[in-house]
Amino acid sequence: MKTPCADATKIVQQMKYSLHFIFASKQKSDVTIGEFHTKVKQQQKGLVVLVEEDDCFVSDKNTPVSLDWVSGVNSSLPVYILQDHSQLVFLYAGAHVGIIYNHTSNSQHLLQGHCSPISCMCVSEDRRWIGTADQNKKSTVILWDSYSGIPVHTLFDCHPNGGVIAIAFSGDAKQLVTLGNERAQCVCIWDWTNDCHEPLWLTELRPEYGYQNYVIYNPNNSTQLLSSSESQVLFYSTVSSGTFDLYCETHKLAGGPLSPSVFHWREFRILTPSRAGVIMVWDLTQDLDSNQRLSRDHVKIISLQEHPITVLTVVDNCIVTGDTRGHVNFYDENMLLLTWFTQLNLDPIVSISFSKEFEREYLEDGTLDTKPVLGRNFVVSSSTSAVVHVNMERSTWRVLLQENCDPLHAVACHPKQPAVAMGNCSGSLKIWDYREKHHLRCNLKSGLKDGFELNADTFSSRAGRYLAVGFASGAVHFLDANTLQSDPKECFDYPPDSISHMSFSHDSRYLATAVSCLAVTLFRMQQPQWIYLGRYRSHYKPITDLLFGVHQDSSKPRLFTLGVDRLLVSLQFSKRLEQSAVPKCMTWYPPLSSEEFLVVASDQYKMKLFNSMSKTCRKTLLGPTYGSPVKKIGILPTSENNESGSHYMAYVTEDKVGLQILPLDGNPYKSQAVVCHPTGVSAFAYSHDGLFVFTAGGPDCTVLSWQISYSALEGAAALGGKELEPYYTLLEGGRNGEFYREIEDFFYYCQIHNQGLESMETRQLSPKIPLTELPSLMRALAYFPTEEEVEDMLNEVKLGQYTETGEYITDINLAELIKLYINHRPAFGISAEELITAFEVLGEPGGPAGKPVLDRDRMLELLQVRGEAMSEDELAECFTGLFGLFEVKEDENPEADFFKTDNVSQEYTLESVIPEKISIEIFTHHILGLPSSSPSLTPKKGHKGSEQQLDDD
């Protein structure tokens, strides 16, 4: 949750407190990272500073939605060991969050500040400073204090054309180098300790250098650094005002793609490993000229091993390699093997990080003589998200993490226990205790067929005895929730139709699944096992959600399905819910009134309440508007900590998770959201006590646990104001703006119009206008609802209190009008893209520059036969008003309708004023009368303009 920082001094005090401990720790060597975290948390209570664009935000445990735990590792990024003495602490990344994990206390300190996935990170030599970067359009680099977890410096827009692909500290940690991901890559050096916002030095790399993806400083000389690609290595020096760029065609020499290079610990050399198992040693000279190619006489090729080398690092006069077999080998400077670790059972190694503390000075190696060798413990990470800690003194190792390394699309919470099930695309399934933070059970494809991609899972509704899992192959397995084992008789395999949705009935006797072939499959518990009932194709477009309910006159379950075809389907009926919007999800509305409602969210940022029996739309409300429409919703169970007694709804958009206070009323301050998975949310679930929400990130291979604070949400809503104050902020200009005055003027004009414009009687002042004036008033405010939308608005007001009083409402006041207008009007208006899409669907190629054009006769025919068909008089009336073709007669009644056909000048016809071929520009400027300075309407490529699409829409 992000809220504007109301007291900037609080952050400054936090920073000063952090710096105080930083300098104090330098005086006391016995202060450890783990101890420091404990002290800072006691003072901070979880405060973390977040930065987004030019605003400052604060996120803490007292916000409505706060990140509690990250399950998953970005396996492509390195893992760094921060402490290995009294406590084992290491750093890794997951999605857009950096994680400082204390393995000893099983706790995480989360580095939140990025709005895009972390693309690279680094740590200083003394493990005191952490750097993280992303590849957003507004790329951000954040420097953190590893002891407090507080950001101490932020670089904004440092590589705006592609973000940052690599980052590194100098040996003294006073400088930072960033390597951009631009088409023409740039290397920048920043003096970050002096609060700089512009690079000290930068250079643009030539395309022939290849795509550089790694950068590192010389630890012994902060004026030298190198970058490397799979085929070339570049050397840089900043001793003088110029730069020395060195490159060599090393791909052919190495016999395979190159891995990241390192500097020699003593000599002026560069060591470059390759995927062919060789190491190249570059002997550099101090008199290099700028852009000089290194002679091959200065490059020595050493065949070190048969298997590809993926990682090379140097530490304490030793060369350490990691390879594709998961082996770690130690060599001396003469490339003689000293010791090795071949039984780690790892996949290809991604990183090796050594502790800064020595365990002991000497270690016996595999040779006959005893030589001084590395005495530091280290952490190894693999391409399958495994992290292993190796104790050099005891020659032992243990697995610290074994996280998901495949996309996650399935997450479900147990209905009675603090357990959440997570499944990935490799078919692996595990159950995690979100209270104690440890795994309860794991099923690594045991009993499941190899190659099955797990797409969905759900616990049975009553006691969580069963865990149903669905696969991309179309298979459905019923597992015992305690053992994660299944009876072969309860494994149902079907043709390859991917399972997208699953839902148990309230009594856990039925399970419904939706598959990609637009059909619903039903299973029933018939003791002692589950049986297959059948499959029904309920939609002609993909199913977006399915939901069980209960018949009002019995306890029998009933099933609803929702589709892109805008249909709500049950066994007893099928109803079209929308005209243009696409429904995304649905759930049962809590019993806040005597009616039973289904709440349906659409892609137009609206939420509608439908009567569960009549299926009529009873309310239309503005939903959360956080960049993308709501895609999944769920009503949270009432918890013991819910002091207000209110009901709440959790939801996810394309990349955010949020909370909403019920009842729904369009108040924007009753909803809060935060970025959870920048690459997209694939699934979400909530705990049985309503205190946690879990989101799966799909391609980012993580599941995030979010802790909920209802009191914080209520407090944020209270800050928005009372009565109409929150709604004024949604009007252009607010309460004192010109648009609000127009609303008032039109409202009072409707009162006069209803009493008669030429009436000489005393005007009867009233705070309300009749509902008959509502359609005209909405259109006067530039909102042009369809006839169905008009009927929904009238019914919403007319039936607002019918179930309580048994009477219809026939008028509306100004406050109710403003709420109705805000909730029903398009959330962001009508975009140019929508108009372009309509022309590409209805029109045909033939316009200038290949743009689609619409035939006049076809347009008039479509208006009279498609959708809400218009009569000839209505058609003439509309175009008469658009073109201003009416004539005003001298004796005309002021209240007469000037737009009727008998008032139209006879010299004009539709054929004479409408061109035979209508382009987007003609329709926009000539017919609609929009100014020519409006945004350019350029058709998009790839839209399907066919009769089938027209029929569907």
Side-chain angles (χ1 to χ4, degrees):
M1 163 57 204
K2 298 180 180 177
T3 55
C5 180
D7 188 2
T9 59
K10 183 177 181 181
I11 296 180
V12 175
Q13 292 171 357
Q14 295 279 348
M15 299 288 285
K16 289 181 178 179
Y17 182 80
S18 175
L19 294 174
H20 170 75
F21 266 95
I22 289 173
F23 293 114
S25 65
K26 291 183 177 180
Q27 302 296 327
K28 294 181 63 178
S29 59
D30 58 339
V31 178
T32 65
I33 293 179
E35 294 170 351
F36 188 90
H37 282 169
T38 302
K39 294 180 180 179
V40 171
K41 285 183 178 180
Q42 291 174 353
Q43 298 291 328
Q44 291 181 257
K45 296 182 180 179
L47 182 69
V48 177
V49 179
L50 298 180
V51 183
E52 181 178 324
E53 297 181 354
D54 296 328
D55 300 322
C56 185
F57 298 88
V58 173
S59 175
D60 60 26
K61 298 299 183 181
N62 294 320
T63 54
V65 184
S66 58
L67 186 58
D68 179 66
W69 194 269
V70 177
S71 178
V73 178
N74 186 340
S75 60
S76 64
L77 296 182
V79 175
Y80 296 101
I81 186 168
L82 299 180
Q83 181 181 328
D84 185 39
H85 186 56
S86 60
Q87 300 184 65
L88 179 56
V89 183
F90 56 96
L91 168 75
Y92 60 95
H96 63 304
V97 182
I99 302 105
I100 299 177
Y101 179 55
N102 189 322
H103 184 268
T104 305
S105 62
N106 190 28
S107 61
Q108 290 183 346
H109 189 93
L110 305 175
L111 309 181
Q112 301 178 73
H114 293 281
C115 295
S116 297
I118 293 177
S119 58
C120 55
M121 61 182 182
C122 63
V123 297
S124 59
E125 288 292 327
D126 60 0
R127 305 296 191 271
R128 193 49 192 271
W129 310 109
I130 299 171
T132 59
D134 59 44
Q135 291 184 13
N136 192 11
K137 293 180 180 179
K138 296 184 177 181
S139 59
T140 303
V141 176
I142 305 178
L143 291 312
W144 312 80
D145 169 27
S146 67
Y147 274 29
S148 66
I150 291 180
V152 294
H153 191 66
T154 303
L155 303 174
F156 297 99
D157 300 332
C158 50
H159 291 271
N161 297 322
V164 182
I165 190 63
I167 186 174
F169 282 108
S170 60
D172 56 10
K174 292 182 178 180
Q175 293 182 350
L176 182 80
V177 59
T178 58
L179 175 62
N181 191 41
E182 309 94 342
R183 178 171 297 180
Q185 289 183 280
C186 288
V187 177
C188 301
I189 292 181
W190 308 80
D191 185 13
W192 70 273
T193 58
N194 289 325
D195 196 26
C196 70
H197 296 282
E198 296 293 334
L200 289 177
W201 169 84
L202 66 86
T203 187
E204 186 173 304
L205 304 182
R206 300 176 185 176
E208 57 265 27
Y209 290 160
Y211 179 71
Q212 303 286 303
N213 56 14
Y214 178 78
V215 67
I216 188 175
Y217 265 99
N218 186 343
N220 301 317
N221 189 340
S222 295
T223 65
Q224 299 173 350
L225 61 149
L226 65 83
S227 66
S228 63
S229 67
E230 290 190 349
S231 60
Q232 301 190 47
V233 177
L234 303 180
F235 171 74
Y236 312 82
S237 175
T238 58
V239 175
S240 62
S241 59
T243 63
F244 298 112
D245 296 344
L246 174 67
Y247 78 98
C248 179
E249 296 292 342
T250 52
H251 179 81
K252 296 179 181 178
L253 295 176
L258 303 180
S259 297
S261 305
V262 296
F263 283 95
H264 194 275
W265 60 87
R266 184 178 62 251
E267 304 294 338
F268 191 30
R269 294 175 179 174
I270 294 176
L271 308 178
T272 302
S274 91
R275 300 299 174 89
V278 305
I279 288 183
M280 296 184 302
V281 181
W282 299 22
D283 287 321
L284 304 180
T285 60
Q286 300 291 345
D287 56 349
L288 289 172
D289 294 328
S290 178
N291 297 323
Q292 176 183 350
R293 182 190 299 270
L294 188 68
S295 170
R296 294 193 178 186
D297 297 336
H298 293 271
V299 181
K300 183 186 300 183
I301 309 297
I302 301 175
S303 181
L304 202 62
Q305 59 187 55
E306 297 180 358
H307 298 276
I309 299 174
T310 57
V311 177
L312 176 68
T313 185
V314 294
V315 60
D316 297 334
N317 301 343
C318 291
I319 299 172
V320 187
T321 65
D323 56 35
T324 55
R325 298 174 299 172
H327 296 177
V328 177
N329 297 323
F330 290 79
Y331 301 88
D332 64 11
E333 60 180 323
N334 296 318
M335 298 301 174
L336 298 178
L337 183 63
L338 298 175
T339 189
W340 56 90
F341 293 88
T342 61
Q343 299 177 350
L344 301 179
N345 297 321
L346 293 175
D347 291 296
I349 291 177
V350 173
S351 68
I352 304 173
S353 176
F354 289 89
S355 171
K356 64 180 180 179
E357 300 100 355
F358 276 95
E359 285 300 317
R360 73 177 196 176
E361 185 176 1
Y362 295 98
L363 177 70
E364 292 185 359
D365 56 27
T367 63
L368 296 177
D369 299 327
T370 300
K371 300 178 180 178
V373 189
L374 177 69
R376 305 176 191 265
N377 298 340
F378 61 93
V379 163
V380 183
S381 67
S382 73
S383 60
T384 55
S385 301
V387 179
V388 174
H389 178 262
V390 179
N391 187 298
M392 293 291 290
E393 182 178 7
R394 302 183 182 90
S395 295
T396 59
W397 55 89
R398 54 175 170 167
V399 178
L400 303 180
L401 286 179
Q402 182 63 69
E403 295 287 2
N404 297 297
C405 60
D406 295 291
L408 278 155
H409 296 289
V411 59
C413 287
H414 196 283
K416 300 293 183 181
Q417 302 172 6
V420 58
M422 299 174 279
N424 62 23
C425 284
S426 67
S428 298
L429 181 68
K430 68 178 180 182
I431 297 182
W432 186 65
D433 187 324
Y434 53 81
R435 293 286 188 186
E436 300 298 328
K437 315 299 185 191
H438 64 81
H439 295 141
L440 295 174
R441 292 169 291 280
C442 292
N443 186 334
L444 301 177
K445 306 180 185 178
S446 176
L448 305 180
K449 292 186 177 180
D450 290 340
F452 277 20
E453 296 183 9
L454 203 156
N455 272 11
D457 63 353
T458 182
F459 282 96
S460 55
S461 304
R462 277 189 172 177
R465 176 184 174 186
Y466 296 100
L467 177 63
V469 294
F471 298 88
S473 64
V476 175
H477 292 188
F478 292 90
L479 309 180
D480 185 301
N482 294 320
T483 63
L484 297 186
Q485 300 299 317
S486 61
D487 189 325
K489 296 180 180 179
E490 296 182 320
C491 298
F492 302 91
D493 298 336
Y494 298 103
D497 298 321
S498 178
I499 302 293
S500 58
H501 299 82
M502 305 180 74
S503 178
F504 275 100
S505 63
H506 71 288
D507 56 5
S508 300
R509 293 183 58 194
Y510 294 89
L511 174 75
T513 66
V515 296
S516 58
C517 66
L518 320 180
V520 175
T521 306
L522 196 61
F523 303 88
R524 186 181 71 186
M525 164 54 71
Q526 184 169 312
Q527 295 293 345
Q529 64 185 31
W530 289 87
I531 63 171
Y532 167 78
L533 289 182
R535 176 175 290 189
Y536 172 65
R537 180 160 181 168
S538 55
H539 296 265
Y540 65 91
K541 282 190 175 183
I543 295 172
T544 58
D545 206 354
L546 57 81
L547 180 68
F548 270 104
V550 181
H551 284 280
Q552 287 187 338
D553 55 351
S554 68
S555 60
K556 294 182 179 179
R558 54 175 176 166
L559 178 64
F560 298 89
T561 59
L562 193 65
V564 177
D565 52 14
R566 306 182 179 93
L567 293 178
L568 177 67
V569 178
S570 181
L571 295 178
Q572 295 82 14
F573 69 91
S574 175
K575 178 178 175 59
R576 193 178 185 93
L577 299 183
E578 300 280 358
Q579 290 180 299
S580 59
V582 176
K584 306 292 288 185
C585 55
M586 62 180 173
T587 191
W588 289 106
Y589 202 61
L592 302 177
S593 67
S594 56
E595 292 184 82
E596 185 181 46
F597 292 122
L598 269 174
V599 55
V600 179
S602 72
D603 66 342
Q604 294 184 357
Y605 300 90
K606 301 293 183 182
M607 290 191 177
K608 292 186 176 182
L609 302 184
F610 292 90
N611 185 284
S612 62
M613 299 302 294
S614 65
K615 311 305 177 298
T616 58
C617 179
R618 292 284 286 103
K619 269 194 175 183
T620 300
L621 302 143
L622 178 66
T625 54
Y626 293 102
S628 58
V630 171
K631 60 187 295 186
K632 296 179 185 295
I633 56 177
I635 305 300
L636 295 175
T638 303
S639 66
E640 298 178 356
N641 297 336
N642 184 2
E643 300 176 356
S644 64
S646 301
H647 293 269
Y648 303 89
M649 180 178 71
Y651 62 87
V652 292
T653 65
E654 188 62 36
D655 60 348
K656 298 177 180 66
V657 59
L659 290 179
Q660 172 83 48
I661 301 176
L662 302 180
L664 296 171
D665 56 7
N667 183 343
Y669 291 94
K670 287 187 176 182
S671 176
Q672 300 286 345
V674 63
V675 174
C676 58
H677 298 277
T679 56
V681 183
S682 60
F684 98 115
Y686 48 85
S687 62
H688 68 280
D689 55 7
L691 297 180
F692 291 90
V693 172
F694 303 89
T695 58
D700 68 16
C701 307
T702 62
V703 170
L704 305 185
S705 172
W706 302 88
Q707 192 170 354
I708 295 174
S709 173
Y710 295 114
S711 59
L713 182 61
E714 293 285 354
L719 293 176
K722 300 179 180 179
E723 298 178 350
L724 284 182
E725 291 180 6
Y727 301 92
Y728 291 144
T729 61
L730 299 177
L731 297 176
E732 183 180 355
R735 173 66 175 81
N736 300 317
E738 181 179 351
F739 183 64
Y740 178 80
R741 292 194 294 272
E742 288 185 2
I743 295 177
E744 284 186 320
D745 292 342
F746 283 125
F747 182 83
Y748 296 133
Y749 178 80
C750 287
Q751 290 183 339
I752 298 174
H753 182 269
N754 183 63
Q755 297 177 23
L757 296 179
E758 293 187 333
S759 174
M760 300 300 294
E761 299 179 1
T762 303
R763 298 289 180 180
Q764 300 295 325
L765 297 179
S766 171
K768 298 183 178 182
I769 60 173
L771 289 183
T772 54
E773 299 287 342
L774 190 59
S776 298
L777 179 54
M778 288 293 179
R779 288 163 182 148
L781 298 176
Y783 165 46
F784 303 97
T786 64
E787 294 302 315
E788 182 177 320
E789 290 171 340
V790 168
E791 183 179 357
D792 288 343
M793 280 193 295
L794 296 177
N795 287 337
E796 180 175 328
V797 179
K798 184 166 53 177
L799 302 176
Q801 299 178 4
Y802 184 79
T803 55
E804 288 81 11
T805 64
E807 297 179 357
Y808 294 115
I809 298 175
T810 59
D811 47 24
I812 185 173
N813 60 30
L814 181 60
E816 294 167 344
L817 171 68
I818 292 175
K819 289 183 180 180
L820 197 69
Y821 170 74
I822 289 174
N823 283 319
H824 279 262
R825 69 173 180 177
F828 300 104
I830 300 176
S831 65
E833 287 75 13
E834 293 179 79
L835 184 60
I836 294 171
T837 302
F839 257 81
E840 292 178 338
V841 172
L842 300 175
E844 297 178 354
K851 296 181 179 180
V853 294
L854 184 61
D855 184 76
R856 176 187 60 210
D857 295 335
R858 174 156 174 78
M859 183 187 72
L860 297 177
E861 177 187 0
L862 290 172
L863 291 174
Q864 296 180 75
V865 300
R866 297 281 186 176
E868 294 181 349
M870 303 174 67
S871 65
E872 291 187 8
D873 288 342
E874 291 173 333
L875 198 63
E877 180 181 341
C878 287
F879 282 102
T880 297
L882 286 171
F883 290 107
L885 304 180
F886 56 87
E887 292 181 343
V888 181
K889 300 178 182 179
E890 295 181 0
D891 58 346
E892 192 71 64
N893 185 338
E895 297 187 51
D897 190 349
F898 296 128
F899 298 103
K900 289 185 177 180
T901 54
D902 55 2
N903 286 331
V904 180
S905 176
Q906 298 301 317
E907 60 181 287
Y908 295 109
T909 62
L910 293 180
E911 288 75 12
S912 65
V913 296
I914 302 177
E916 183 178 357
K917 297 295 183 181
I918 306 170
S919 66
I920 297 176
E921 289 75 12
I922 291 175
F923 185 81
T924 304
H925 309 316
H926 180 64
I927 297 179
L928 297 183
L930 297 178
S932 58
S933 59
S934 60
S936 175
L937 301 177
T938 304
K940 293 182 178 180
K941 297 181 180 179
H943 286 283
K944 179 176 66 174
S946 64
E947 289 293 335
Q948 180 62 43
Q949 180 72 15
L950 176 60
D951 292 339
D952 293 344
D953 293 342

